[in-house]
Amino acid sequence: MTDMFRDNAAAGRFELDVGGRQAFAIYRRQGGSLVIDHVEAEPALRGTGAAGRLMEKVVDAAKAESLSIVPRCGYAASWLRRHGG
């Protein structure tokens, strides 16, 4: 199963499609920051690591644009503390 990541800028969401299911991060760009307001995975994806793989891609996207990440949701903040993003 291949993950498909995309920046759905029109919706303000990073999306990770996994076998027809989705994990997503709602974000906004604010100055030189990428503010992550909410991260969620469909119930079928919970416990599979999909949200973590999504966060890896979000960190890569922020680095590519030289943006710092400001986590406003508990999951994103916890993930970044654990993985040094």
Side-chain angles (χ1 to χ4, degrees), residues 7-19:
D7 179 359
N8 184 345
R13 291 168 41 128
F14 288 110
E15 301 168 343
L16 185 74
D17 291 311
V18 182

Side-chain angles (χ1 to χ4, degrees), residues 33-78:
S33 298
L34 183 65
V35 180
I36 306 298
D37 291 313
H38 181 73
V39 175
E40 186 174 329
E42 287 187 36
L45 291 177
R46 293 183 186 151
T48 67
R53 293 192 306 276
L54 168 69
M55 286 300 299
E56 289 173 0
K57 300 290 188 183
V58 169
V59 168
D60 290 345
K63 285 180 182 176
E65 294 183 45
S66 298
L67 298 173
S68 62
I69 297 177
V70 178
R72 296 282 185 216
C73 101
Y75 178 83
S78 175

